[in-house]
């Protein structure tokens, strides 16, 4: 029987295993996971801190025991140390038994994800945490309980940092936010995100910008501007680095930033070695360009593709992604898709911006929603979009993603027939209006 080995047992790895088993009952599947847990909802971790996920155990989707019921072998606390793609074997370390052994594969699936980054000043600080997995969540909650902590310093202005701020506030804790610039949430245009700081202050967050922690002594953190803040707990959400060091010398090609290069089948440069998730370099759906996207959708889609490539229908291919994303920050919803701001500048484009109420303007409770699209002057393609509001953002970003996927241009937005009655939209929705504005602007380029 063919032997499939999977490295990493959370979003990408566990999903690939489950899909493969569903497609093909006659294949051996073994997952090596270096951590304690497998198959948990990373995305839900912040919401257990804030209480919206009241039952922490509901974050666990599968365990080694439930995987065993599906004839999938799971080895937790097992770290893959190196890969020999010529010899089709791995060196694995059993971290509990402190012993190494070799494991042979016919197919290898890599889903090692990313390692959370930190800053030098937080190394060896006992009250400094990251939130990347269930163990981190348990450690944070244990620290709060054991030391009766009601104050937390959050660093990082990406989506995890923002979710941490919101959820610690919801938990009733005093939050200090430290950020080394004034630019909060880089995926969004500064002028669209000018509410972030105001909203933090409205929520009672102590905001310290243009500074960073340089030293922590006991429960006091010293900042680069000389100020000191009380820091009985510090949580960093400052991004990830691909966990691919173990692939050195493996024959699996990495890009300059250490991400695993993959094609539309999920295959790497090495025969029978596939990869997915946060650690891969993949490609955009709407423009011919490589990208990396550390979000769950791509991992889940690629899991299905790879499972089919190995055990089912090899016509199933990955068709790229848009990096469609959304976050909630207190009352606000923020979503973007497509090229990053620095990338879109390389394309000839114009911007169409429109703000209107999310439902019929005469309805009590209607609120503004703002959508910005970046339109290719060459062919009217939507290269990038950003949506901000307090209601209805998810609907607009998903519609835009579907529209782009099906080849719709910015001018075609006028033809999206929206479901209208006053509590939901307008007969000319915000997306239709963007289409009408585009048609006017596009005349210059025809
Ligand atoms: P992971 O799920 O991180 O799994 C990788 C696993 O591989 C890890 O458990 C690791 O221990 C293991 N591993 C690594 N190296 C080895 C090795 N050498 N040997 C054995 N095991 C190894 N995405 C969204 O789309 N929306 C969200 O709202 C969202 N919120 C998030 C909130 C948080 C707090 C976090 C941490 C992530 C969030 N994400 C979100 C991102 C999403 O969780 C990731 O995109 C997804 O988990 C990536 O899956 P993966 O399999 O690549 O990596």
């Amino acid at each position: 029987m063919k032997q499939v080995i999977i490295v990493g047992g959370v979003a990408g790895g566990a999903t690939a295993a489950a899909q493969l088993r569903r497609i093909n009952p006659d294949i051996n599947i073994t997952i090596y996971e270096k951590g304690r847990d497998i198959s948990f909802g990373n995305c839900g971790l912040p919401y257990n801190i804030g209480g919206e996920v009241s039952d922490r155990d509901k974050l666990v989707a599968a365990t080694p025991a439930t995987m065993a019921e599906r004839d999938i072998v799971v080895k937790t606390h097992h770290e893959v140390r190196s890969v020999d793609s010529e010899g089709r074997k791995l060196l694995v370390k059993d971290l509990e038994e402190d012993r190494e052994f070799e494991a042979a594969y016919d197919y290898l699936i890599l889903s090692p994800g990313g390692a959370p980054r930190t800053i030098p000043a937080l190394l060896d600080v006992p009250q400094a945490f990251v939130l990347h997995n269930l163990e981190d969540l348990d450690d944070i909650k244990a620290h709060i309980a054991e030391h009766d902590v009601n104050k937390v310093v959050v660093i990082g202005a990406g989506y995890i940092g923002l979710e941490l701020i919101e959820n610690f506030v919801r938990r009733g804790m005093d939050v200090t936010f430290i950020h080394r610039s004034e630019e909060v949430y880089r995926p969004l245009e500064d002028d669209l995100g000018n509410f972030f700081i105001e909203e933090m202050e409205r929520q009672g967050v102590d905001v310290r910008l243009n500074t960073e922690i340089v030293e922590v002594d006991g429960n006091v953190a010293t900042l680069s501007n000389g100020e000191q803040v009380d820091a009985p707990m510090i949580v960093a959400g400052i991004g990830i680095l691909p966990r691919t060091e173990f692939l050195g010398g493996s024959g699996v090609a990495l890009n300059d930033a250490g991400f695993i290069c993959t094609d539309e089948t999920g295959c790497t440069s090495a025969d029978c070695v596939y990869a997915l998730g946060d650690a891969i370099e993949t490609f955009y759906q709407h423009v011919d360009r490589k990208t990396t996207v550390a979000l769950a959708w791509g991992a889940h889609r690629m899991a299905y593709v790879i499972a089919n490539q190995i055990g089912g229908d090899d016509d199933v291919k990955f068709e790229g992604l848009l990096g469609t994303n959304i976050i909630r920050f207190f009352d606000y919803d923020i979503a973007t898709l497509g090229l990053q701001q620095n990338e879109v500048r390389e394309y000839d484009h114009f911007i169409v911006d429109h703000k209107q109420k999310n439902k019929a303007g005469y309805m009590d409770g209607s609120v503004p929603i703002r959508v910005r699209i970046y339109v290719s002057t060459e062919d009217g393609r939507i290269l990038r979009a950003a949506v901000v509001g307090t209601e209805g953002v998810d609907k607009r970003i998903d519609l835009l993603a579907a529209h782009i996927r099906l080849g719709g241009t910015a001018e075609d937005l006028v033809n999206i027939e929206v479901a209208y009655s006053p509590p939901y939209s307008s007969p000319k929705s915000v997306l239709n209006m963007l289409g009408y504005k585009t048609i006017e602007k596009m005349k210059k380029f025809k």
Side-chain angles (χ1 to χ4, degrees):
M1 229 192 275
K2 295 277 186 205
Q3 177 69 46
V4 178
I5 292 185
I6 300 178
V7 183
V10 188
T15 310
Q19 295 283 3
L20 190 51
R21 173 57 71 236
R22 190 180 54 76
I23 292 169
N24 192 326
D26 301 318
I27 206 159
N28 284 328
I29 307 174
T30 302
I31 299 177
Y32 291 115
E33 165 54 57
K34 74 175 180 182
R36 183 192 67 186
D37 308 291
I38 59 156
S39 193
F40 52 83
N42 322 45
C43 313
L45 298 172
Y47 300 96
N48 181 243
I49 291 177
E52 266 179 284
V53 176
S54 54
D55 182 352
R56 169 245 186 246
D57 293 346
K58 282 195 180 159
L59 292 170
V60 180
T63 63
T66 60
M67 285 289 198
E69 287 165 16
R70 305 171 77 178
D71 203 16
I72 296 169
V73 177
V74 177
K75 301 281 186 191
T76 53
H77 297 297
H78 278 64
E79 180 175 2
V80 173
R81 307 300 287 259
S82 62
V83 173
D84 169 4
S85 64
E86 284 279 303
R88 297 206 181 172
K89 60 185 183 194
L90 313 172
L91 183 67
V92 185
K93 179 160 189 180
D94 178 337
L95 299 171
E96 285 181 321
E97 301 284 324
D98 196 20
R99 78 183 172 94
E100 290 189 335
F101 59 91
E102 284 187 350
Y105 66 82
D106 295 297
Y107 297 99
L108 177 63
I109 303 177
L110 306 169
S111 196
R117 292 170 53 206
T118 187
I119 54 171
L122 296 185
L123 295 173
D124 303 324
V125 173
Q127 76 271 30
F129 300 89
V130 292
L131 181 62
H132 194 70
N133 58 31
L134 264 184
E135 288 179 68
D136 298 332
L137 176 71
D138 294 342
D139 290 347
I140 288 171
K141 286 169 35 186
H143 183 76
I144 293 173
E146 277 163 32
H147 301 272
D148 203 15
V149 174
N150 62 3
K151 215 169 200 180
V152 59
V153 173
V154 173
I155 62 171
Y159 74 89
I160 293 182
L162 294 173
E163 288 178 358
L164 284 167
I165 291 172
E166 176 180 322
N167 281 289
F168 281 122
V169 168
R170 277 177 190 265
R171 198 181 170 94
M173 293 176 67
D174 289 342
V175 179
T176 303
F177 169 59
I178 297 174
H179 186 43
R180 62 176 166 196
S181 75
E182 286 176 5
E183 198 188 8
V184 174
Y185 198 53
R186 225 187 290 155
L188 186 70
E189 288 73 355
D190 280 352
D191 66 308
L192 297 182
N194 51 15
F195 58 87
F196 279 116
I197 299 298
E198 208 179 287
E199 185 61 17
M200 283 184 209
E201 288 175 341
R202 204 172 70 81
Q203 299 289 341
V205 175
D206 176 7
V207 178
R208 313 281 181 118
L209 299 176
N210 298 315
T211 189
E212 57 190 320
I213 297 178
V214 287
E215 195 186 6
V216 181
D217 186 7
N219 279 353
V220 176
T222 303
L223 311 186
S224 54
N225 62 7
E227 291 173 3
Q228 293 195 316
V229 295
D230 218 8
M233 181 162 88
I234 304 169
V235 187
I238 51 176
I240 56 165
L241 293 170
R243 259 196 192 119
T244 51
E245 322 77 52
F246 70 101
L247 294 174
S250 65
V252 174
L254 307 180
N255 74 5
D256 290 346
F259 291 86
I260 306 166
C261 304
T262 57
D263 66 14
E264 76 280 9
T265 64
C267 202
T268 68
S269 60
D271 264 359
C272 297
V273 180
Y274 294 80
L276 71 164
D278 289 358
I280 68 164
E281 178 188 73
T282 178
F283 54 94
Y284 280 116
Q285 197 178 86
H286 64 320
V287 292
D288 183 15
R289 190 181 182 117
K290 303 240 183 320
T291 185
T292 59
V293 173
L295 291 171
W297 185 87
H300 283 260
R301 180 67 197 139
M302 195 58 115
Y304 183 83
V305 171
I306 292 173
N308 269 285
Q309 288 292 327
I310 293 175
D313 174 1
D314 63 10
D315 281 341
V316 179
K317 305 254 166 73
F318 187 70
E319 295 184 10
L321 40 67
L322 293 169
T324 309
N325 65 86
I326 186 163
I327 63 160
R328 186 188 71 197
F329 190 61
F330 296 101
D331 287 343
Y332 290 90
D333 295 318
I334 303 104
T336 68
L337 60 70
L339 294 169
Q340 304 289 319
Q341 293 181 71
N342 61 332
E343 295 172 334
V344 81
R345 285 185 206 115
E346 295 172 26
Y347 294 74
D348 288 334
H349 71 273
F350 59 88
I351 289 175
V352 186
D353 216 320
H354 190 70
K355 185 174 176 181
Q356 88 180 39
K357 293 288 176 65
N358 66 324
K359 43 191 158 187
Y362 49 74
M363 290 290 287
D364 292 349
S366 60
V367 287
I369 185 161
R370 172 125 181 228
V371 185
R372 178 174 295 174
I373 55 173
Y374 294 69
V375 182
S376 161
T377 51
E378 193 191 326
D379 53 14
R381 255 178 312 168
I382 300 169
L383 300 169
R384 164 178 173 79
V387 188
V388 178
T390 54
E391 245 181 67
V393 170
D394 54 343
K395 176 162 85 171
R396 273 68 183 198
I397 199 75
D398 284 349
L399 256 178
L400 279 169
H403 183 74
I404 296 170
R405 169 68 191 89
L406 298 174
T409 64
E411 291 159 293
D412 289 334
L413 288 171
V414 294
N415 291 313
I416 293 185
E417 183 185 1
V418 294
Y420 163 64
S421 84
Y424 298 100
S425 187
S426 311
K428 278 205 291 290
S429 84
V430 61
L431 296 186
N432 297 146
M433 288 307 300
L434 283 160
Y436 287 112
K437 283 187 166 178
T438 302
I439 289 170
E440 284 310 305
K441 287 202 173 188
M442 201 71 191
K443 284 179 184 161
K444 274 198 245 157
F445 301 98
K446 286 190 168 160

